[in-house]
Amino acid sequence: MNLEESITSCLKANGAASVYFTDISGLPEEQNKGFSRAVIFTIPLSPQYIRKVTGCPDYVQEKIHNSPDFSDDELYLTELKTDRVSDSLSDFFKHEGFSAYSHSDKNQIETGFLTVFMA
């Protein structure tokens, strides 16, 4: 099994529905951070959640009005999962001797790539 197959297998075992390897060398360096390749993966939301959200055009506003706690929201939980998987994949690459950069919120904040403004 080659590296791409191993990565795909690992990501799919963690819930990824699709995995892509792409050339990002043509992007400006502030976007590609000096990397030439990227791994892109998707973790789908459930059909029930999609129906619930599309059936309520003001889903977020209603959710905030009823309870500002999003800890049980499927999109929020899926975002947290993709961040964890991304960080784990980055750690795997580094362990194998490659350079890597996770686009998780945590990593982007820690490295200054994403600036969070608080009022």
Side-chain angles (χ1 to χ4, degrees):
M1 186 178 300
N2 68 31
L3 184 59
E4 285 189 5
E5 290 169 337
S6 295
I7 293 165
T8 299
S9 177
C10 177
L11 289 172
K12 290 203 173 192
N14 280 286
S18 57
V19 179
Y20 302 96
F21 299 86
T22 188
D23 180 344
I24 58 169
S25 61
L27 294 173
E29 189 161 335
E30 64 266 8
Q31 290 180 323
N32 70 19
K33 302 193 75 54
F35 291 96
S36 61
R37 306 259 309 143
V39 179
I40 301 167
F41 64 94
T42 63
I43 297 178
L45 299 168
S46 70
Q48 298 85 358
Y49 181 80
I50 299 296
R51 279 191 291 277
K52 177 171 70 172
V53 172
T54 57
C56 180
D58 297 321
Y59 175 79
V60 173
Q61 290 81 1
E62 285 188 26
K63 181 89 170 141
I64 291 169
H65 177 72
N66 293 331
S67 168
D69 178 17
F70 277 75
S71 64
D72 66 341
D73 185 72
E74 185 177 335
L75 176 61
Y76 173 73
L77 295 172
T78 302
E79 274 193 86
L80 293 177
K81 182 175 183 176
T82 59
D83 280 358
R84 284 192 307 274
V85 172
S86 182
D87 288 340
S88 294
L89 183 58
S90 178
D91 291 344
F92 166 77
F93 279 129
K94 290 173 184 173
H95 182 265
E96 294 296 312
F98 297 98
S99 293
Y101 185 86
S102 169
H103 265 270
S104 70
D105 289 344
K106 177 181 173 257
N107 190 52
Q108 290 185 67
I109 291 167
E110 287 176 356
T111 62
F113 189 69
L114 174 70
T115 304
V116 175
F117 296 97
M118 306 278 296

